[in-house]
Amino acid sequence: MDKYDIEKAISDTGILTVKEAMSYGISKDKIYREISKNEYERVSHGIYVKKDSWIDEMQLISLRYKDAVFSHDEALYYYDLTDREPLKKTITIYTGYNPSRLTKEGIKVYTVKKDLLKVGKTYVKDNTIPMYNLERTICDLVRSRKDFEKDVFVNALKRYVNRKDKDLNKLMEYGKLFKVDRIIREYMEVLI
């Protein structure tokens, strides 16, 4: 394996995935020799990092769990709808996916029907981290309102209403899909 091959296979963050390297036509044998030679550390099955590299936990989770989308607390914080940094990483996965490994790792898991998993999905942080957009985040907040303290819930809605980049039409469209459009309308009528 020449230096160019391995550089193509390593992401900008110093993460090497065996699957990615193999997609460049590099054999497993060559990949593992390179991993051993350069003392990469194994962080998960098929995922290695350069020794002494700083790893973005969100990126690692998204590499390990391809169907997971960051949501709820994580998205509220990212979009500046709350000042509270999440205590746990929060993701949404499709119903039927076994979340036991995720919860053992301290990740908070929500589930939705498989056909709704991609609604509002976007990528943030240099297009590497899957996260729900602003309107989907509000729908998730309303759907899971019992999981949030009242002041966090109300403050997030107020911040959303005051944003210039809000899209109320998209919010109502998503609200219908998730059957919370009536509740969202009531809150929006009070806040706008």
Side-chain angles (χ1 to χ4, degrees):
M1 174 185 322
D2 65 24
K3 189 175 169 90
Y4 178 72
D5 287 339
I6 197 67
E7 285 177 5
K8 281 195 320 187
I10 299 172
S11 73
D12 294 336
T13 58
I15 297 173
L16 171 65
T17 65
V18 173
K19 187 176 182 179
E20 176 84 11
M22 288 177 66
S23 74
Y24 289 107
I26 305 167
S27 71
K28 272 190 177 181
D29 184 49
K30 287 182 179 180
I31 295 166
Y32 286 111
R33 273 188 278 156
E34 188 70 22
I35 287 168
S36 177
K37 182 175 100 182
N38 290 305
E39 299 180 357
Y40 280 83
E41 293 179 27
R42 181 180 188 266
V43 292
S44 182
H45 177 74
I47 302 173
Y48 297 84
V49 296
K50 289 181 179 179
K51 204 170 190 168
D52 301 325
S53 291
W54 179 83
I55 305 165
D56 183 337
E57 187 180 359
M58 289 175 71
Q59 186 173 21
L60 189 57
I61 290 169
S62 67
L63 283 171
R64 292 178 66 206
Y65 306 102
K66 292 287 187 194
D67 292 319
V69 182
F70 288 93
S71 62
H72 295 78
D73 308 66
E74 205 68 52
L76 286 172
Y77 186 72
Y78 179 81
Y79 292 117
D80 197 31
L81 297 174
T82 185
D83 294 327
R84 294 185 185 181
E85 191 170 349
L87 298 174
K88 293 181 172 186
K89 296 295 179 203
T90 309
I91 61 146
T92 296
I93 198 75
Y94 59 87
T95 304
Y97 186 95
N98 183 354
S100 60
R101 253 187 5 191
L102 291 159
T103 53
K104 281 181 188 173
E105 292 179 28
I107 299 170
K108 191 173 179 181
V109 180
Y110 288 90
T111 59
V112 294
K113 292 179 186 175
K114 200 169 194 171
D115 59 325
L116 294 174
L117 185 64
K118 292 184 180 178
V119 173
K121 181 179 175 181
T122 188
Y123 289 86
V124 298
K125 293 188 179 182
D126 300 325
N127 283 333
T128 58
I129 308 295
M131 184 177 288
Y132 287 127
N133 65 17
L134 199 51
E135 284 69 32
R136 169 67 189 264
T137 298
I138 295 299
C139 285
D140 287 343
L141 174 71
V142 172
R143 288 178 63 228
S144 307
R145 60 192 174 280
K146 292 178 180 153
D147 295 346
F148 292 92
E149 293 176 19
K150 189 171 184 168
D151 62 325
V152 171
F153 176 79
V154 172
N155 190 33
L157 289 177
K158 284 179 181 177
R159 286 185 181 193
Y160 173 76
V161 167
N162 291 325
R163 290 179 70 113
K164 292 189 185 332
D165 60 343
K166 68 183 175 292
D167 185 340
L168 295 173
N169 291 328
K170 188 182 287 185
L171 178 64
M172 294 313 296
E173 177 187 325
Y174 289 174
K176 286 178 187 171
L177 288 172
F178 292 98
K179 298 177 180 20
V180 291
D181 54 318
R182 184 186 54 78
I183 299 166
I184 289 173
R185 188 175 291 110
E186 288 172 10
Y187 281 111
M188 291 301 120
E189 285 173 0
V190 171
L191 295 170
I192 293 181

